Amino acid sequence: MSKLKVYNVATINVKTQGENFIRIIRKKFVIGERNVKILADFIRENELHSIGTQELTYKHQNALAQELGTNYIVSGGYRFGNGPILERIIPCNESNAIVTCVEDVNDVSNKTIHLPSFPTRSDIALNGVNTITKLQPRILTYVIDDEKHLIHINTHLHDSFPEKREKQEQFIASYAQILKIAYPEYDMIITGDFNDDLTKLSFQKFVDEMQKLGLERIPVVQRTYSKQADSVAIDHIFISKGLSLEDFKVCDTGDITLTTDHYPVIAQVKRKKL
C-alpha cells in the first residue's frame, strides 16, 4: 500500500436536516459553507486517507474540493447527472463522492453507476405517488488507486423499501466480485450508509457475501444515526483480508456532529505483511 504504514478510512453521511441544500444568510454566515469547512477540518485533523461520503450536493462537493485544495482528490458523479443546471432543477441531486488524500498518488480512476432503485408501477400503486420521491435513484461510486493497489467502493442505500435495499446489497456484492476478479492483487474497502443493520436478515446475508469475497465488516455496534433509538450501526466499513484492523471509532462528539445527523465511522487499517 505505497509508503503509508497506517491507512485511515472513513464513511460520512454529510446531510444536516436540509441545511446542506440551501444557503441561509445569518449574520453574514452561510450554513452550508460552514458545514463544508467543518467537514474539511475533520478530514485533515483525523489525517484521513480515503473517505466515502454520502449526500453531497453539486455545490457542496465542489466547495469541499476547493476547501481541501490540492492535497485531496474528490471523485464521483451524481444521482441525476452532473452540472449546476441540474442542481437548480433537482436540489436533491446528490453524489456519493470519495475523497482521496494524494500523498504519494498522482491520480485515481473513478466511476459512478446506478443501483437498482427506480420505482415500479406496482411500487407506486401500493405506496402512492410520493414513492417517486422516496425512491430517488441510488448510486455506487468506486475509485481505483493504482499506486496503493486499493479499490474503494462507496454507496448509500434506501432508508425505506427493504426489498429494494436487499436488491441493492446483492448488486454491490456482485459488483465487488467483478472488481476483485479484475484486480486480484488489490485490497478493497467498502464504505457507506446502508440504512441496514445486523438485526436484519438481509444485511446478515450481505455480510456473509462479503465474507465469501474475503471482506470483513468493522465490528461497530453502537448507533451511527443520531435519530435512531436502537444502539445499532447503519453506517459500515468493510475491509479485505489483505488489510488488518488497527483501531476504529464512531465520532459522536465534536463539531462534526453539528453538521450531520450521522456519526462518522473511522477505521485505521494496515496492510498485512506478505
Side-chain angles (χ1 to χ4, degrees):
M1 188 177 286
S2 176
K3 299 175 183 177
L4 292 173
K5 294 182 179 180
V6 176
Y7 199 69
N8 299 321
V9 301
T11 182
I12 305 174
N13 186 315
V14 302
K15 187 176 180 181
T16 65
Q17 298 88 36
E19 292 178 351
N20 222 10
F21 299 105
I22 53 178
R23 295 168 62 89
I24 302 176
I25 307 299
R26 295 181 181 173
K27 298 180 180 179
K28 299 181 180 180
F29 179 73
V30 183
I31 290 179
E33 292 179 0
R34 175 175 179 265
N35 291 343
V36 168
K37 177 65 165 58
I38 290 175
L39 178 59
D41 287 343
F42 179 82
I43 290 171
R44 287 187 289 249
E45 289 166 5
N46 287 280
E47 299 181 334
L48 300 180
H49 298 104
S50 199
I51 309 101
T53 70
Q54 301 88 41
E55 301 198 55
L56 269 178
T57 60
Y58 181 86
K59 175 179 64 182
H60 290 91
Q61 180 167 324
N62 283 277
L64 179 62
Q66 184 175 2
E67 179 67 34
L68 289 171
T70 57
N71 291 328
Y72 287 85
I73 301 168
V74 183
S75 307
Y78 300 80
R79 291 182 182 179
F80 299 97
N82 298 356
I85 296 176
L86 274 172
E87 182 194 12
R88 295 173 186 172
I89 300 172
I90 310 174
C92 59
N93 187 23
E94 303 156 357
S95 77
N96 291 335
I98 296 175
V99 182
T100 308
C101 180
V102 299
E103 293 222 351
D104 49 353
V105 177
N106 294 322
D107 193 18
V108 293
S109 57
N110 74 90
K111 186 175 182 180
T112 299
I113 54 179
H114 280 93
L115 297 173
S117 59
F118 285 95
T120 63
R121 289 183 181 180
S122 61
D123 291 329
I124 297 172
L126 289 170
N127 301 288
V129 177
N130 64 344
T131 303
I132 297 173
T133 57
K134 287 184 178 180
L135 282 175
Q136 298 169 11
R138 295 287 173 163
I139 52 178
L140 175 149
T141 301
Y142 69 88
V143 298
I144 298 174
D145 186 334
D146 289 319
E147 181 71 28
K148 295 184 176 66
H149 279 215
L150 180 75
I151 299 171
H152 182 170
I153 297 174
N154 180 53
T155 194
H156 184 192
L157 306 188
H158 282 309
D159 57 353
S160 306
F161 303 96
E163 70 282 358
K164 297 285 186 184
R165 194 161 58 237
E166 185 172 3
K167 287 181 180 178
Q168 292 170 349
E169 289 166 347
Q170 292 169 356
F171 182 94
I172 293 167
S174 297
Y175 209 88
Q177 183 176 22
I178 290 171
L179 288 173
K180 284 190 74 68
I181 292 172
Y183 299 89
E185 303 301 320
Y186 282 43
D187 289 307
M188 181 176 287
I189 295 168
I190 299 179
T191 59
D193 173 3
F194 285 79
N195 278 306
D196 217 346
D197 61 74
L198 285 173
T199 67
K200 308 294 193 307
L201 180 60
S202 60
F203 191 68
Q204 291 175 20
K205 290 180 179 178
F206 178 75
V207 172
D208 289 343
E209 288 301 313
M210 292 295 98
Q211 289 177 338
K212 291 177 184 177
L213 293 175
L215 289 108
E216 295 288 337
R217 188 186 76 91
I218 301 297
V220 176
V221 293
Q222 74 182 84
R223 67 174 180 169
T224 59
Y225 178 48
S226 63
K227 297 178 181 179
Q228 191 169 348
D230 298 330
S231 184
V232 292
I234 63 171
D235 301 87
H236 304 282
I237 299 175
F238 294 80
I239 62 173
S240 61
K241 60 183 179 182
L243 302 170
S244 62
L245 178 63
E246 301 294 298
D247 196 10
F248 70 91
K249 63 180 177 180
V250 176
C251 303
D252 56 1
T253 59
D255 285 348
I256 194 67
T257 61
L258 304 175
T259 74
T260 176
D261 50 11
H262 284 250
Y263 300 136
V265 181
I266 295 177
Q268 287 185 342
V269 299
K270 191 174 183 180
R271 195 168 199 178
K272 294 179 181 177
K273 293 182 179 179
L274 298 177

